[in-house]
Amino acid sequence: MKEIAKGIWKLTYQTPEKFTPCSMRKSKIAVEELEKIDLEVCQKLPFEEKEIILKTTKRGVTVSIPMQTEEDIYGFGLQLKSINYAGRKRHIKVNSDPTVDTGESHAPVPFYISTAGYGVFVDTYRYATFYMGTNSKKGASSSKKEVNQPHKEFSESALYSLKRAKEQRTVIIDIQGAEGVELYFFAGTVKQVVQRYNLFSGGGIIPPMWGLGIWYRVYGGSKEEDVKKLAEQFREEQIPMDVLGIEPGWHSHSYSCTYEWSSLFPNAQDMIDSLNQNGYHVNLWEHMFVYPAAPFYQKLKDYSGEYEVWNGLVPDFATKEAREIFSDWHRVQFVEKGIAGFKLDECDNSDFNPSNWSFPDTAEFPSGMDGEQMHNAVGILYQEVIAEAFEKQGIRTLSQVRSSGALASSQPFVLYSDLYNHKEFIRGIVTSSFSGLLWSPEVRDCVNETDLLRRIETVIFSPLALLNAWRIPNPPWKQVDINKNLENIWMEKQEYYTKQCRKLLELRMSFLPYLYSAFIEYQRKGIPPVRAMVMEYPDDLEVRTIDDQYFFGKDILVCPLTLEDGMSRKVYLPEGKWHEFFGTAVYEGKAWIEVSAKEEEIPLFVRENALIPLAKPVLHITKETVFEITVLQFGSGEAEFILYEDDFETLEYKQTGVKGIRIYRKENGVVEILDKAERYRFL
Amino acid sequence: MKEIAKGIWKLTYQTPEKFTPCSMRKSKIAVEELEKIDLEVCQKLPFEEKEIILKTTKRGVTVSIPMQTEEDIYGFGLQLKSINYAGRKRHIKVNSDPTVDTGESHAPVPFYISTAGYGVFVDTYRYATFYMGTNSKKGASSSKKEVNQPHKEFSESALYSLKRAKEQRTVIIDIQGAEGVELYFFAGTVKQVVQRYNLFSGGGIIPPMWGLGIWYRVYGGSKEEDVKKLAEQFREEQIPMDVLGIEPGWHSHSYSCTYEWSSLFPNAQDMIDSLNQNGYHVNLWEHMFVYPAAPFYQKLKDYSGEYEVWNGLVPDFATKEAREIFSDWHRVQFVEKGIAGFKLDECDNSDFNPSNWSFPDTAEFPSGMDGEQMHNAVGILYQEVIAEAFEKQGIRTLSQVRSSGALASSQPFVLYSDLYNHKEFIRGIVTSSFSGLLWSPEVRDCVNETDLLRRIETVIFSPLALLNAWRIPNPPWKQVDINKNLENIWMEKQEYYTKQCRKLLELRMSFLPYLYSAFIEYQRKGIPPVRAMVMEYPDDLEVRTIDDQYFFGKDILVCPLTLEDGMSRKVYLPEGKWHEFFGTAVYEGKAWIEVSAKEEEIPLFVRENALIPLAKPVLHITKETVFEITVLQFGSGEAEFILYEDDFETLEYKQTGVKGIRIYRKENGVVEILDKAERYRFL
């Protein structure tokens, strides 16, 4: 075991595979940043190297690590079904519709964090299985001899409920198909392990400021004129809006794709130009399966996989040729012409839905990768290909992707899903934060007006504030019912709901500088801008299973409600004083409280002695946007917040850095702005 | 490729694995029976040997077989979620709660049948994946160039619906972890392929006659006296009942088990004797995980797997020692003392429920098997161990098991499940019939009285007529509501529902000779006693997706209703004339009809020119039972039915054979009984 950076060790076992996240990575380990953080914390793992047992069998490599019964386990990428994996299995297989809690997801990651003070990353694209203390070794229970104890409950759920056993357990990692492997161990608290993993992955991204604004995906049946009309309508109605996403219909053929404009968009460039002039950023839907009529089909054929998907080629993004063909086409045809980002659909896989699309695990690719590896890798590879088109132009993007995986923190992409349970979408915000992933709980179909508001309340406190109206030609605040929306029939109270939605979207816009600063911390320190409570309060046993409250930026605890919750919910406040953001009440923590919230309200709590810079909401971000900032104060102790500024959109910060503006308050003092700002004006 | 029996070829590729269904099988191929059947049918496969492509990669062995777009695909063992796998994946992994349609189930089998006239069995215990024409080879679509076609529907379900493509497809079989493999190919129609597979597996079982009677699993909290009281009550109330099943509470410790009577059953032997005297057969619940207090724990320790399950040892049934320890204990302690069968629970596995119990796939076993192989094998191995205890006594059993797999037709076990959707339970009857499996859609919790009747109607026309009352101390016809049943509060119309249930159970009893004869055909010809319609009418495209009608014995088409159906359903009748069993109507087939059925009625249709021997229902089977038979006649053409008789309970038939009694009718003639019967009296 070799220490490769501060608090990070590598263990190499026999001959690792050729295609792994680390062997294929483009990002570099942020070694300097790793040196800077957490000088005071424990740099040791809670077990000896000799306790890690590695074996090779015909199936592959098996790793065993001792596990104590009190350890709680987090990570494994985006997980929509549960948060704490102590006593459970996780199967790291990318899958588009994981309707059951197996570990499969759009973005599973072979990385976990234990509350025992360590994390493990397994450098593999194989469908590894992690048994997180599901079993004890033979004989561990031999002293048990209780007999004739009465059975208490007779139900299936009682029989198979998860019980925490008292015997010494084992973490077993099953890496089928591998002959060797590299493991990375990270020391520290839950948060420190996450930081180290993110910096090991290259640090977090800095999004363009417009990417933090409001996103809207337009109706799938839209023509050019419809998009322009909608864009004008948003401005007229003073609805904040930064990004318009255009769905499959822009391709002259989709499922699979041509990457050329269809006859529905006869003057596409005019449309893009006019949208851009009007302050919009345009995002285009696509997937990677290349239809025979696509202009680069023939060129790509030799650099694509053995089987077709939806009649299209599957590019082998592990070859330089396929990367270049794809990336260059996107740069020249779209990025240079004003397109700001893409939505990369269906780069996951499907076992659970009827059509079982995508390529087989056995598929051979020219690079030498097989289908299994490609499935777990392609989300990341595809992101790199598209990101490169922007990097060459020197501009940032923030784009969408439906699959991601290991070492993702430096990819300018946010995950989304077709699945649609609101509680699970909130849980996704929490779980994705452990593994360098960003997740958007997009607003899509809504049962009713309350559901619409509740879902918007969640999405505005997530990494990406996305409304996806692909099934409806009019905004949901005019009509939530799909069929009526298609017939342009408005809801009775559409004016009222337009106003409430506008207010919530404005609330998002007012948090942009605050959130942008959180992203700078993500890049520099690896601290996720939106994150699980257990990262902040790792020793509070109460927070270890909380999957419906989370931190947004430095000091705000978000407690969303869903339609099912009605107008109130339970909230847990950890140690310390907590201030209502919208109200004036102050609570003493380490307590559960009942919180009421009208349909247009979301409970936010602020930590004692926090300064929250709030902007006057703008309708959209421009090159010249200067935010008018009011600093909200909570508590009366010493307090500090650093706002960051730069051009908010290019990659120049990589050379010049990002400037920090220090907002400071002494105990019982007034707030002072200690640096000069250009993009902020303090009120 | 080598013809190993008539219409069956074996293909050996490189070095097959040591542990496979064929290498470990105890049953013998029924070579003589294979010679006898289907003299006239096609003995060819629809492709050349050279079209079967086998490859070895680091992942394992990959097999490709050409597939035409019009082929329909059946098999893969028990499948509760769908019936036809053309265009879909099947993952052959045993799993206790397959809530999604991946192929995983209690009893997945690496065997499929194509309507193109062949079947394939892959001799592996690995979690193989079958891609049944999900993909075309790269370039198959290169001539497609349609662009600017309008998109029609905007919904997730439309996007991912299963569409039958027009390009040449491929069957891809992914056998991870294998270095070589043996494949078996079967020629013929769907039914002939199933027959050949079943005879290849050793032929079907002949159950004891009592096993075809009514089964009842008593309340989990029952004490000895409760069981005896219930047994008396059934006799008093004239409820037909052959088998009483006792749940986990009989063990002095369960989860894991001791295989010794608990203090709830202080005079167990008296109870067994008195139940046996009263004509009951007693079945005991268990699973294979051996608690430290079990008397043979120490003896078994060296012959058990690396990890514990529920604090218990996992016996390695691939070792002679573990088989003997386990089998001998069961023979001496139970079989010799009057126990007639067992319910083998939790020999499947769990990925989908919260506790993720059972051993890891990586677990090592003393025999050399690994956990993955053991999971797919253990259902069968466990059945063999228990069956052996009865074989040594020279008596038959019919028992229950929650997991099965390849080559299962000669195992005297019927599958069951915790899952409980009625439509899926009916589908299980249909799908299990393709792969040598017997399945019981057991009656368990019921929403209301109608649900109870509907579920009984299904179960009495299945291989095992099982009522599972493990959660309720009183029979469900007294109270379907669990909580009220626990409080001994009867339903208002309990007398009425007792009568209706009794009538349905009597209906089952009247079909016993008819069903027993179907089992003889199962043993001799491999024809499943209860089976999918496509086996009888393979060329009728309409039946290829029917998963809620099936054949029961030779000539009866069963069309159960569920609570959701209400009081009528659509029924498809294939070519020919069809007679109502209970009514007098005659229908011309090749047509869908709407059929009404009151809550206590199940629609049955009889083929033209069928003779159905119906028995006067008895309350239970004894050594002396002589059935009083009425032969029902349908149509007026030439007709025949063979009733079989023997001692109905021992294994003597293996030496002496089973006697056939020919019932015959000439065209327009009277029914004649052409052989002398001892166990039947014709009225």
Side-chain angles (χ1 to χ4, degrees):
Chain A
M1 208 143 88
K2 188 184 140 196
E3 187 160 13
I4 57 151
K6 210 170 137 196
I8 307 180
W9 295 264
K10 178 162 93 168
L11 193 161
T12 304
Y13 174 69
Q14 297 193 357
T15 314
E17 295 193 281
K18 187 175 168 196
F19 301 101
T20 71
C22 287
S23 78
M24 298 174 77
R25 68 184 288 172
K26 305 281 170 226
S27 62
K28 292 204 178 73
I29 302 177
V31 180
E32 277 177 46
E33 284 75 9
L34 278 165
E35 281 299 321
K36 279 181 219 156
I37 58 159
D38 310 320
L39 290 173
E40 77 286 2
V41 310
C42 154
Q43 307 291 350
K44 271 192 178 171
L45 297 174
F47 40 74
E48 303 284 317
E49 185 176 344
K50 64 174 188 238
E51 292 180 88
I52 306 163
I53 295 164
L54 292 116
K55 265 190 201 176
T56 311
T57 71
K58 285 195 176 178
R59 298 179 74 256
V61 172
T62 306
V63 185
S64 324
I65 301 170
M67 179 175 164
Q68 303 307 317
T69 184
E70 71 276 9
E71 285 182 47
D72 288 302
I73 304 290
Y74 304 95
F76 297 117
L78 175 72
Q79 295 285 331
L80 296 178
K81 302 289 174 182
S82 58
I83 178 176
N84 185 338
Y85 314 108
R88 306 208 55 167
K89 285 187 223 175
R90 292 295 93 181
H91 187 49
I92 304 304
K93 180 180 182 183
V94 72
N95 229 319
S96 67
D97 41 9
T99 46
V100 273
D101 191 12
T102 58
E104 293 166 75
S105 95
H106 295 289
V109 180
F111 167 62
Y112 72 85
I113 306 120
S114 164
T115 52
Y118 78 102
V120 178
F121 171 63
V122 179
D123 185 32
T124 184
Y125 279 132
R126 295 275 163 223
Y127 300 153
T129 303
F130 290 71
Y131 297 78
M132 302 311 299
T134 53
N135 294 77
S136 291
K137 283 270 189 185
K138 169 161 83 174
S141 303
S142 20
S143 64
K144 286 191 182 282
K145 302 275 180 179
E146 304 88 17
V147 292
N148 292 317
Q149 303 294 311
H151 284 248
K152 275 166 218 132
E153 208 189 323
F154 300 100
S155 73
E156 292 81 357
S157 55
L159 268 184
Y160 299 127
S161 67
L162 181 62
K163 295 152 196 127
R164 193 165 275 212
K166 290 183 200 75
E167 301 75 40
Q168 159 90 46
R169 311 248 116 190
T170 311
V171 172
I172 303 158
I173 308 170
D174 178 15
I175 312 151
Q176 251 195 299
E179 291 167 355
V181 71
E182 285 184 327
L183 307 177
Y184 293 85
F185 293 86
F186 303 82
T189 62
V190 175
K191 187 175 181 180
Q192 287 157 354
V193 168
V194 169
Q195 286 180 263
R196 285 186 162 134
Y197 170 78
N198 285 338
L199 293 174
F200 172 74
S201 307
I205 58 148
I206 304 181
M209 186 65 86
W210 58 260
L212 302 181
I214 312 299
W215 291 52
Y216 191 96
R217 299 211 74 86
V218 306
Y219 177 53
S222 294
K223 295 187 293 292
E224 194 173 289
E225 289 312 308
D226 302 325
V227 178
K228 284 162 78 173
K229 218 175 98 190
L230 193 71
E232 279 161 29
Q233 192 188 317
F234 288 143
R235 294 293 185 247
E236 270 165 31
E237 300 188 355
Q238 302 272 300
I239 304 284
M241 196 60 69
D242 270 288
V243 183
L244 290 181
I246 306 181
E247 289 288 286
W250 78 267
H251 290 266
S252 61
H253 186 280
S254 66
Y255 285 68
S256 47
C257 294
T258 52
Y259 316 90
E260 284 194 315
W261 291 95
S262 74
S263 53
L264 298 174
F265 295 81
N267 301 296
Q269 193 58 49
D270 284 357
M271 180 193 70
I272 297 167
D273 293 344
S274 96
L275 289 174
N276 286 351
Q277 278 155 27
N278 213 341
Y280 285 105
H281 288 81
V282 181
N283 175 298
L284 297 180
W285 174 97
E286 63 170 55
H287 61 212
M288 60 187 277
F289 308 117
V290 179
Y291 189 65
F296 51 87
Y297 179 89
Q298 281 307 331
K299 246 166 92 180
L300 192 72
K301 203 166 170 187
D302 287 347
Y303 309 103
S304 64
E306 188 181 5
Y307 290 98
E308 293 181 346
V309 175
W310 286 313
N311 304 123
L313 297 178
V314 183
D316 180 356
F317 288 141
T319 65
K320 200 170 140 279
E321 291 84 354
R323 291 173 82 101
E324 276 179 15
I325 293 166
F326 221 82
S327 188
D328 287 352
W329 180 264
H330 282 75
R331 180 170 46 80
V332 175
Q333 297 297 323
F334 304 114
V335 180
E336 288 184 4
K337 293 180 177 174
I339 296 299
F342 296 88
K343 171 181 172 178
L344 312 184
D345 213 7
E346 285 120 357
C347 46
D348 35 32
N349 188 12
S350 159
D351 286 334
F352 299 131
N353 78 40
S355 64
N356 290 164
W357 49 269
S358 212
F359 48 87
D361 291 343
T362 62
E364 296 179 356
F365 285 84
S367 61
M369 287 184 88
D370 60 42
E372 176 188 350
Q373 294 172 316
M374 188 59 90
H375 276 305
N376 270 357
V378 76
I380 290 285
L381 298 178
Y382 194 7
Q383 289 172 57
E384 286 175 354
V385 167
I386 297 300
E388 201 178 293
F390 291 93
E391 280 159 23
K392 282 204 180 159
Q393 286 296 105
I395 57 170
R396 298 179 221 173
T397 183
L398 190 66
S399 284
Q400 293 185 262
V401 69
R402 214 173 75 180
S403 174
S404 197
L407 313 183
S409 63
S410 55
Q411 302 295 338
F413 285 83
V414 182
L415 286 158
Y416 64 95
S417 173
D418 270 359
L419 302 173
Y420 202 56
N421 179 294
H422 192 177
K423 291 262 184 209
E424 291 183 4
F425 268 32
I426 295 168
R427 189 181 294 122
I429 298 176
V430 178
T431 61
S432 59
S433 72
F434 291 108
S435 315
L437 300 170
L438 302 172
W439 158 255
S440 176
E442 66 174 40
V443 181
R444 205 160 176 161
D445 312 338
C446 299
V447 174
N448 58 26
E449 296 89 326
T450 305
D451 192 27
L452 172 64
L453 292 176
R454 288 301 188 211
R455 286 175 179 273
I456 292 180
E457 286 157 24
T458 301
V459 88
I460 60 175
F461 290 100
S462 84
L464 191 86
L466 172 65
L467 308 169
N468 184 349
W470 80 302
R471 294 181 66 176
I472 47 174
N474 302 289
W477 42 82
K478 296 208 180 286
Q479 180 56 267
V480 295
D481 181 282
I482 293 179
N483 291 323
K484 288 184 183 158
N485 195 305
L486 285 163
E487 291 168 31
N488 303 316
I489 301 168
W490 294 170
M491 302 187 297
E492 209 178 317
K493 294 176 77 181
Q494 67 96 355
E495 278 190 35
Y496 175 79
Y497 283 103
T498 302
K499 190 178 135 201
Q500 295 305 335
C501 290
R502 184 191 297 115
K503 276 173 70 176
L504 288 171
L505 302 181
E506 286 172 352
L507 183 61
R508 167 74 176 199
M509 295 308 284
S510 70
F511 274 108
L512 255 51
Y514 171 84
L515 181 58
Y516 190 75
S517 294
F519 269 98
I520 306 298
E521 301 283 305
Y522 187 35
Q523 200 242 346
R524 293 187 175 179
K525 299 184 186 167
I527 300 170
V530 184
R531 65 201 172 280
M533 285 180 82
V534 70
M535 287 191 217
E536 297 293 310
Y537 298 90
D539 299 325
D540 186 338
L541 294 182
E542 208 68 36
V543 309
R544 295 216 177 158
T545 50
I546 293 181
D547 55 3
D548 59 356
Q549 305 178 198
Y550 54 88
F551 276 88
F552 180 78
K554 188 164 172 272
D555 286 313
I556 295 177
L557 181 64
V558 181
C559 311
L561 280 82
T562 66
L563 184 61
E564 294 73 43
D565 291 325
M567 298 299 154
S568 72
R569 61 160 289 176
K570 283 207 175 334
V571 162
Y572 181 74
L573 299 174
E575 200 161 30
K577 278 201 169 54
W578 294 89
H579 300 255
E580 280 185 355
F581 180 84
F582 294 107
T584 54
V586 182
Y587 296 91
E588 196 57 53
K590 257 192 141 16
W592 285 95
I593 59 170
E594 184 74 24
V595 174
S596 294
K598 293 188 202 139
E599 62 173 4
E600 70 276 16
E601 292 174 351
I602 176 167
L604 305 181
F605 294 89
V606 187
R607 255 197 285 234
E608 176 78 348
N609 295 326
L611 303 179
I612 309 285
L614 219 59
K616 187 178 160 201
V618 293
L619 276 183
H620 61 92
I621 306 301
T622 69
K623 284 183 194 304
E624 292 79 30
T625 300
V626 174
F627 291 99
E628 302 192 359
I629 302 289
T630 305
V631 178
L632 303 187
Q633 305 185 48
F634 298 88
S636 56
E638 190 182 13
E640 184 188 70
F641 189 92
I642 305 195
L643 261 182
Y644 292 93
E645 68 169 27
D646 63 347
D647 65 20
F648 292 154
E649 63 175 26
T650 77
L651 294 169
E652 249 189 64
Y653 74 86
K654 294 197 176 185
Q655 273 69 51
T656 61
V658 177
K659 186 181 165 195
I661 293 135
R662 193 162 169 238
I663 307 173
Y664 181 71
R665 181 186 73 186
K666 267 199 192 140
E667 208 167 327
N668 298 317
V670 294
V671 169
E672 293 180 81
I673 313 297
L674 301 178
D675 302 284
K676 198 173 163 328
E678 285 174 32
R679 307 295 299 261
Y680 301 109
R681 197 162 72 80
F682 293 88
L683 302 177
Chain B
M1 207 143 89
K2 190 184 141 196
E3 188 160 11
I4 57 150
K6 211 171 138 197
I8 308 180
W9 295 264
K10 177 163 92 170
L11 193 161
T12 303
Y13 174 70
Q14 297 193 357
T15 312
E17 295 193 281
K18 186 175 169 195
F19 301 101
T20 72
C22 287
S23 77
M24 297 175 77
R25 68 184 288 170
K26 304 281 172 227
S27 63
K28 291 204 180 73
I29 302 178
V31 180
E32 278 177 44
E33 284 74 10
L34 278 164
E35 281 299 321
K36 279 181 219 157
I37 59 158
D38 310 320
L39 290 172
E40 77 286 2
V41 308
C42 155
Q43 307 290 350
K44 269 192 179 170
L45 298 172
F47 41 74
E48 303 284 318
E49 184 176 345
K50 65 174 186 239
E51 292 179 88
I52 306 162
I53 296 165
L54 292 115
K55 265 190 201 176
T56 311
T57 71
K58 285 195 175 176
R59 297 179 75 255
V61 173
T62 306
V63 185
S64 323
I65 301 170
M67 178 175 164
Q68 304 307 315
T69 183
E70 70 278 8
E71 286 181 47
D72 288 302
I73 305 290
Y74 304 95
F76 296 116
L78 174 72
Q79 295 285 331
L80 295 177
K81 300 289 174 181
S82 58
I83 176 177
N84 186 338
Y85 314 108
R88 306 207 55 165
K89 284 187 222 174
R90 292 294 92 183
H91 187 49
I92 304 305
K93 180 180 182 183
V94 72
N95 229 318
S96 67
D97 42 9
T99 46
V100 274
D101 192 11
T102 58
E104 293 166 76
S105 95
H106 296 288
V109 180
F111 167 63
Y112 72 85
I113 305 120
S114 164
T115 52
Y118 77 102
V120 178
F121 170 64
V122 179
D123 185 32
T124 185
Y125 278 132
R126 294 275 165 223
Y127 300 152
T129 303
F130 290 72
Y131 297 79
M132 303 310 300
T134 52
N135 294 76
S136 292
K137 282 269 188 186
K138 168 160 83 173
S141 302
S142 21
S143 63
K144 286 192 183 281
K145 300 277 180 178
E146 304 88 16
V147 292
N148 292 317
Q149 304 294 311
H151 284 247
K152 276 167 216 132
E153 209 190 323
F154 300 100
S155 72
E156 291 81 355
S157 55
L159 268 183
Y160 299 127
S161 67
L162 181 61
K163 295 150 196 129
R164 193 165 275 211
K166 290 184 199 75
E167 300 77 40
Q168 159 91 46
R169 311 247 117 189
T170 311
V171 172
I172 304 158
I173 308 170
D174 178 15
I175 312 151
Q176 250 195 299
E179 290 167 356
V181 72
E182 285 185 326
L183 306 178
Y184 293 86
F185 293 86
F186 304 82
T189 62
V190 175
K191 187 176 181 178
Q192 288 156 355
V193 168
V194 169
Q195 286 181 263
R196 284 186 164 134
Y197 170 78
N198 285 338
L199 292 174
F200 172 74
S201 307
I205 58 147
I206 303 182
M209 186 65 86
W210 59 259
L212 302 181
I214 311 299
W215 290 52
Y216 191 96
R217 298 210 76 85
V218 306
Y219 177 53
S222 293
K223 296 187 292 292
E224 194 173 290
E225 288 313 307
D226 302 325
V227 178
K228 283 162 80 173
K229 217 176 99 189
L230 193 71
E232 279 161 29
Q233 190 189 318
F234 288 144
R235 294 292 185 245
E236 270 166 32
E237 299 188 355
Q238 302 272 300
I239 305 283
M241 197 60 69
D242 270 289
V243 182
L244 290 181
I246 306 180
E247 289 288 286
W250 79 266
H251 290 265
S252 61
H253 186 279
S254 66
Y255 285 67
S256 47
C257 294
T258 51
Y259 316 91
E260 285 195 315
W261 291 95
S262 73
S263 53
L264 298 174
F265 295 81
N267 301 297
Q269 194 58 48
D270 285 355
M271 179 193 72
I272 297 167
D273 294 343
S274 95
L275 290 174
N276 286 350
Q277 278 155 27
N278 214 341
Y280 285 104
H281 289 81
V282 181
N283 175 297
L284 297 180
W285 174 97
E286 64 170 55
H287 61 213
M288 61 186 277
F289 308 117
V290 179
Y291 188 66
F296 51 88
Y297 179 89
Q298 281 306 332
K299 245 166 93 179
L300 192 71
K301 203 166 171 187
D302 286 347
Y303 308 104
S304 65
E306 189 182 3
Y307 290 98
E308 294 182 346
V309 175
W310 286 313
N311 304 122
L313 297 178
V314 183
D316 180 356
F317 288 141
T319 65
K320 198 170 142 281
E321 292 83 355
R323 291 172 81 101
E324 276 180 14
I325 293 166
F326 220 82
S327 189
D328 287 352
W329 180 264
H330 282 76
R331 180 169 48 81
V332 174
Q333 298 297 323
F334 304 113
V335 180
E336 289 183 4
K337 293 180 178 176
I339 296 300
F342 294 89
K343 171 182 173 178
L344 312 184
D345 213 7
E346 286 122 357
C347 46
D348 34 33
N349 188 11
S350 159
D351 286 334
F352 300 130
N353 77 40
S355 63
N356 289 164
W357 49 269
S358 212
F359 47 87
D361 291 344
T362 61
E364 296 179 355
F365 285 84
S367 62
M369 287 183 89
D370 60 42
E372 176 188 352
Q373 294 171 316
M374 189 58 91
H375 275 305
N376 270 357
V378 76
I380 291 285
L381 299 178
Y382 194 7
Q383 289 173 56
E384 285 175 355
V385 167
I386 297 300
E388 202 178 292
F390 290 93
E391 280 159 23
K392 283 203 179 158
Q393 287 297 102
I395 56 170
R396 297 179 222 173
T397 182
L398 190 67
S399 284
Q400 293 185 260
V401 69
R402 215 173 75 179
S403 174
S404 196
L407 313 182
S409 64
S410 55
Q411 302 294 339
F413 284 83
V414 182
L415 287 158
Y416 65 96
S417 173
D418 270 0
L419 303 174
Y420 201 56
N421 178 293
H422 192 177
K423 291 262 185 210
E424 292 184 4
F425 267 33
I426 296 169
R427 189 181 293 121
I429 298 177
V430 177
T431 61
S432 59
S433 72
F434 290 109
S435 315
L437 300 169
L438 302 172
W439 159 256
S440 176
E442 67 173 41
V443 180
R444 206 160 174 161
D445 312 338
C446 299
V447 174
N448 58 26
E449 296 89 327
T450 306
D451 192 27
L452 172 64
L453 291 175
R454 289 301 189 211
R455 287 177 178 271
I456 292 181
E457 287 157 23
T458 301
V459 88
I460 60 174
F461 290 100
S462 83
L464 191 86
L466 173 65
L467 307 169
N468 184 347
W470 81 302
R471 294 181 66 178
I472 48 175
N474 302 290
W477 43 82
K478 295 206 181 288
Q479 180 56 266
V480 294
D481 181 283
I482 292 179
N483 290 323
K484 288 184 183 158
N485 195 304
L486 284 163
E487 292 168 29
N488 303 316
I489 300 168
W490 294 170
M491 303 188 296
E492 209 178 318
K493 294 176 77 180
Q494 66 97 353
E495 279 189 35
Y496 175 79
Y497 283 102
T498 301
K499 190 178 133 200
Q500 296 304 336
C501 289
R502 184 191 296 115
K503 275 173 71 177
L504 289 171
L505 301 180
E506 286 172 352
L507 184 62
R508 167 74 176 199
M509 296 307 284
S510 70
F511 274 108
L512 255 51
Y514 171 84
L515 181 57
Y516 191 75
S517 294
F519 269 99
I520 306 299
E521 301 283 304
Y522 187 36
Q523 200 242 348
R524 294 186 174 180
K525 299 183 186 167
I527 300 171
V530 184
R531 65 201 173 279
M533 284 180 82
V534 72
M535 286 192 217
E536 298 293 310
Y537 298 91
D539 299 326
D540 186 338
L541 295 182
E542 208 67 36
V543 309
R544 295 212 177 161
T545 50
I546 293 181
D547 56 3
D548 59 356
Q549 304 177 199
Y550 54 88
F551 276 88
F552 180 77
K554 189 164 170 272
D555 288 312
I556 296 176
L557 181 64
V558 182
C559 310
L561 280 82
T562 66
L563 183 63
E564 294 73 43
D565 290 326
M567 298 299 154
S568 73
R569 62 161 288 176
K570 283 208 174 334
V571 162
Y572 181 75
L573 300 173
E575 200 162 30
K577 278 200 169 57
W578 293 89
H579 299 255
E580 281 184 356
F581 180 84
F582 294 107
T584 55
V586 182
Y587 297 91
E588 196 57 55
K590 256 190 142 17
W592 284 96
I593 59 170
E594 184 74 24
V595 174
S596 294
K598 292 187 203 140
E599 62 173 6
E600 70 275 18
E601 292 174 350
I602 175 166
L604 304 180
F605 295 88
V606 187
R607 254 197 287 234
E608 177 76 349
N609 295 325
L611 302 178
I612 308 285
L614 218 60
K616 188 179 159 199
V618 293
L619 276 183
H620 60 93
I621 306 300
T622 70
K623 282 182 195 308
E624 292 80 29
T625 300
V626 174
F627 291 99
E628 301 191 1
I629 302 289
T630 305
V631 178
L632 303 187
Q633 304 185 46
F634 298 88
S636 56
E638 192 183 11
E640 185 187 69
F641 190 93
I642 305 195
L643 261 183
Y644 292 92
E645 68 169 29
D646 63 347
D647 66 18
F648 293 153
E649 63 176 25
T650 77
L651 294 169
E652 248 189 64
Y653 75 87
K654 293 198 175 184
Q655 273 70 51
T656 61
V658 178
K659 186 180 165 194
I661 293 135
R662 194 164 167 238
I663 307 173
Y664 180 70
R665 181 187 72 184
K666 266 199 191 137
E667 208 168 325
N668 298 316
V670 293
V671 170
E672 291 181 81
I673 312 298
L674 300 178
D675 300 284
K676 197 173 165 325
E678 285 175 33
R679 306 296 298 261
Y680 302 109
R681 198 163 71 80
F682 292 89
L683 302 177

